Each structure stands twice: as C-alpha cells, then as structure tokens.
Amino acid sequence: MAPALLLVPAALASFVLAFGTGVEFVRFTSLRPLLGGVPEAGGPDARQGWLGALKDPSILASLAWDLGLLLLFVAQHSLMATETVKAWTARYFGVLQRSMYVACTALALQSLILPQLVMRYWEPVPRGPVLWEARTEPWATWVPLLCFVLHVVSWLLIFSILLVFDYAELMGLKQVYYHVLGLGEPLALKSPRALRLFSHLRHPVCVELLTVLWVVPTLGTDRLLLALLLTLYLGLAHGLDQQDLRYLRAQLQRKLHLLSRPQDGEAE
C-alpha cells in the first residue's frame, strides 16, 4: 500500500476528475438539448421518417457508433461493480478501490487520452426522425421553459440526494481520510440495514435522471437511444423492497427531526 501522503493526492485527483465530468454531463444531458435543440441538416423537412431511417446507412452508422459508446460506459460501470473486480482492485489498490472506480467511470465519459470520450464523440442524428418536437406556438415557448424548470429541480434533487448519501464516501475521499487517521473502513461502521440498502440501490437518483433524460422539447433519434438504454440500465440496477423503503423513511424522518431541533431551541 502506498504511503498516506500519496493516497490523499490520488483520491483528490479522482474527485476533481469526477467533479469535472459531472459538470460536463449536466451540459451534455441538459444544456445542449434545452438550449441547442436538435441540429437540423437542411431543416425539418430533410428528416427521414422512421422506416426511411432504418434504410439510411449514415443514420444507422451514427446510431451504431453512439450505441457502442453507451455500451462501453455500461460495461465499465457494471464490470467494476462486480464483487470479483472489487476484490481485485481492493487487493492491488487497497483503500483507493472506490477512487479507482470513480476515476474509471469518469474516464469512460471524459477520458484524458480521448477527451470527453462518450460526450465529445457522441454523434447527433440531424436527419433522423423525432419522437416529439415543440415547434409551434405556444408550445415552442412553454414546453422548453417547463423542461428547463424540471431539469433544474431534478439536478438540485440529485445534488441533495448525493449529499444525504455521503458524497465524500461515494467519491472515495472518506475511505482515504479514515485510513490516514486509522479509523478503519467507513462501511464497517454502518448498520446491517444500511448495507442491505446499498446492495440493492446502486443509483439513488434514478427518478431524477430519468426526468433529465426524457423531458426535453425535442426527442431526436440519438436522444431516444440514450434515454432508452440508460432507462433500461437504471431499471435493472434498481431493486428496492419494502424493508429498504421502511429504512429510507425512518432515516428521512430522523434527519428532518435533527434539522428541526435548532429551531425548537430558538423557540424556547
């Protein structure tokens, strides 16, 4: 295991890379479709119908490329979450195991060797069909505004949930901090109910991400591919049961009670 002085910069570098990728992901999933819309090649009349798109080699090639990028990300994100790979990375990287997972996830989206691997090399399909599009008034004004509000609310909820679920631990910083101070593994201090929840809930922001993926003024062909594949991926990784929901409800009530205590003290 590397000296403690080398662990901290490595964990911080992983965190900075992941944070930068998160900012780029917000731009890719929200700002670009809300502010830029779907690129048009020759205007909306130049777009193919659904049957025509299936016969157009250029559209199929772009969709195949985008599908390959998505499968690359899904494969990395899923493979490194398996117990076998976790055990291997823990053996060779020790307390940096979580930081390695976070860094590799960021690199799958925004590689330092191939900058913005998925997001930069993603190919829009301007000549492809659209599932829906707000082009006429008043929809052309109100639908983008409504989508913008829902995206802002969703991202605020995502950031809040990440903080509730211990953002430092999710990013691998807490593991290194505990190791340097000799406090052991953070997961060892959690209750069995919390560990059970974490084993069932790989993505605590499922509903919010689905809102970001689907609620757009124009749903083009490539965006539909992105939304469908990530919806399937998020759905397969979501396995909460009634016991998990009861635990979440109890934790929420406990946190709300803790937040209300200072106000009660001021009222007295």
Side-chain angles (χ1 to χ4, degrees):
M1 172 57 62
L5 292 178
L6 297 180
L7 295 176
V8 175
L12 288 176
S14 172
F15 169 76
V16 171
L17 176 62
F19 184 83
T21 302
V23 173
E24 180 66 16
F25 187 70
V26 173
R27 185 199 67 82
F28 176 72
T29 56
S30 289
L31 296 183
R32 191 170 78 173
L34 292 179
L35 302 180
V38 176
E40 294 185 356
D45 295 336
R47 291 176 183 155
Q48 298 273 11
W50 291 99
L51 293 178
L54 295 176
K55 301 176 183 179
D56 191 321
S58 62
I59 293 178
L60 294 179
S62 296
L63 291 177
W65 176 261
D66 293 340
L67 178 62
L69 293 175
L70 283 173
L71 292 178
L72 172 66
F73 167 73
V74 169
Q76 174 276 322
H77 206 56
S78 300
L79 184 63
M80 292 195 68
T82 61
E83 293 301 325
T84 301
V85 177
K86 281 183 178 181
W88 183 86
T89 53
R91 177 182 177 185
Y92 289 99
F93 296 97
V95 72
L96 290 175
Q97 184 267 332
R98 180 66 188 181
S99 295
M100 281 294 300
Y101 176 78
V102 170
C104 289
T105 299
L107 289 173
L109 287 173
Q110 183 171 317
S111 175
L112 294 177
I113 301 174
L114 297 175
Q116 305 170 9
L117 183 60
V118 171
M119 294 178 284
R120 176 165 181 159
Y121 292 104
W122 183 267
E123 290 194 7
V125 186
R127 295 179 58 246
V130 296
L131 193 60
W132 64 72
E133 183 176 22
R135 295 190 61 87
T136 59
E137 296 294 347
W139 310 114
T141 299
W142 290 106
V143 171
L145 180 60
L146 176 61
C147 292
F148 179 81
V149 171
L150 290 176
H151 277 237
V152 170
V153 171
S154 296
W155 284 117
L156 289 176
L157 287 174
I158 288 173
F159 298 146
S160 302
I161 292 171
L162 290 178
L163 290 176
V164 170
F165 271 79
D166 200 338
Y167 186 70
E169 186 172 347
L170 289 174
M171 295 293 103
L173 292 173
K174 191 173 184 179
Q175 290 85 334
V176 174
Y177 175 75
Y178 271 45
H179 176 77
V180 171
L181 296 182
L183 300 177
E185 172 63 37
L187 282 178
L189 304 178
K190 297 188 181 297
S191 67
R193 295 177 67 188
L195 295 176
R196 184 179 187 276
L197 172 67
F198 294 156
S199 68
H200 292 169
L201 184 64
R202 285 189 53 200
H203 301 94
V205 291
C206 184
V207 175
E208 294 78 11
L209 277 178
L210 291 180
T211 301
V212 169
L213 290 172
W214 287 98
V215 180
V216 289
T218 302
L219 189 67
T221 312
D222 59 301
R223 180 70 176 206
L224 179 61
L225 174 66
L226 176 70
L228 281 175
L229 190 59
L230 291 186
T231 298
L232 178 62
Y233 179 62
L234 290 171
L236 293 176
H238 190 76
L240 295 182
D241 55 19
Q242 290 298 320
Q243 185 174 343
D244 294 323
L245 294 176
R246 286 194 296 268
Y247 173 76
L248 282 174
R249 190 180 301 113
Q251 291 300 306
L252 177 60
Q253 292 173 352
R254 183 178 68 85
K255 292 182 183 295
L256 291 176
H257 177 69
L258 291 175
L259 291 174
S260 65
R261 287 178 63 183
Q263 298 176 358
D264 295 341
E266 293 176 1
E268 294 176 0

